[in-house]
Amino acid sequence: MIKNQRQYGVTKTQASKLAEALTREPRPSAASKVHPLLRKAQTDALRSQLADLQTEIKQYEALRSGKRTKLAVDSIDDLPRALIQGRIASGLTQKELAERLGLKEQQIQRYEATNYAAASLARVCEVAKSLGLKVKAEASVAS
């Protein structure tokens, strides 16, 4: 998942390089040394990586554009992703969120890099509130 503008730029660059690599023809001398099945496997792997990057780019762009206002949270494990997506959809940078919370930007970067693993429940609730996220949940005891 792309979490900030820097990662977005890096991902776009990587996608461009992969797309370019897929359009380039291998040199005849190099092509003859590689078994056709191996070449096909390499090409398929590049296409798969490119598709994954393009999906991430589209998801980030959809969040940034404000087109996505509902974020799926099927379990408590999904909450950190929803917090990050909520920040992006709100048009806030990590720095701006940090300022709202009275924290340093690096703290938000650490929270997001670890999917809020080190954040207390109180902090997670504070982040959700500052983003204006409304979370509806249902809890049930497993039988």
Side-chain angles (χ1 to χ4, degrees):
M1 179 168 108
I2 298 171
K3 298 178 181 179
N4 57 48
Q5 278 298 118
R6 186 187 61 74
Q7 289 178 357
Y8 174 69
V10 168
T11 304
K12 284 195 67 125
T13 299
Q14 288 175 331
S16 263
K17 288 179 181 179
L18 282 175
E20 183 182 323
L22 283 166
T23 59
R24 270 189 267 131
E25 289 292 319
R27 291 179 287 155
S29 62
S32 63
K33 294 179 184 177
V34 178
H35 191 278
L37 286 177
L38 181 56
R39 188 175 319 114
K40 182 182 179 331
Q42 290 171 334
T43 301
D44 290 347
L46 288 175
R47 283 192 181 116
S48 176
Q49 288 178 332
L50 179 58
D52 289 347
L53 293 177
Q54 289 172 332
T55 297
E56 286 189 32
I57 290 167
K58 285 179 186 174
Q59 289 172 346
Y60 185 81
E61 288 173 344
L63 286 169
R64 289 291 301 179
S65 72
K67 291 178 185 174
R68 284 189 60 197
T69 56
K70 293 206 177 198
L71 309 170
V73 179
D74 296 324
S75 74
I76 195 107
D77 295 331
D78 295 336
L79 190 55
R81 180 186 38 77
L83 292 174
I84 297 165
Q85 290 178 334
R87 177 190 55 77
I88 295 166
S90 297
L92 293 175
T93 63
Q94 291 171 327
K95 183 178 183 176
E96 291 166 336
L97 176 59
E99 288 170 356
R100 280 189 181 188
L101 297 169
L103 300 172
K104 293 184 178 181
E105 179 181 7
Q106 291 81 5
Q107 184 60 55
I108 297 301
Q109 291 170 345
R110 279 191 294 274
Y111 282 151
E112 290 189 0
T114 62
N115 291 318
Y116 285 88
S120 67
L121 180 58
R123 177 67 73 198
V124 168
C125 292
E126 187 180 1
V127 171
K129 185 177 178 180
S130 74
L131 293 172
L133 290 182
K134 304 213 181 324
V135 180
K136 295 180 182 180
E138 179 179 299
S140 60
V141 177
S143 306

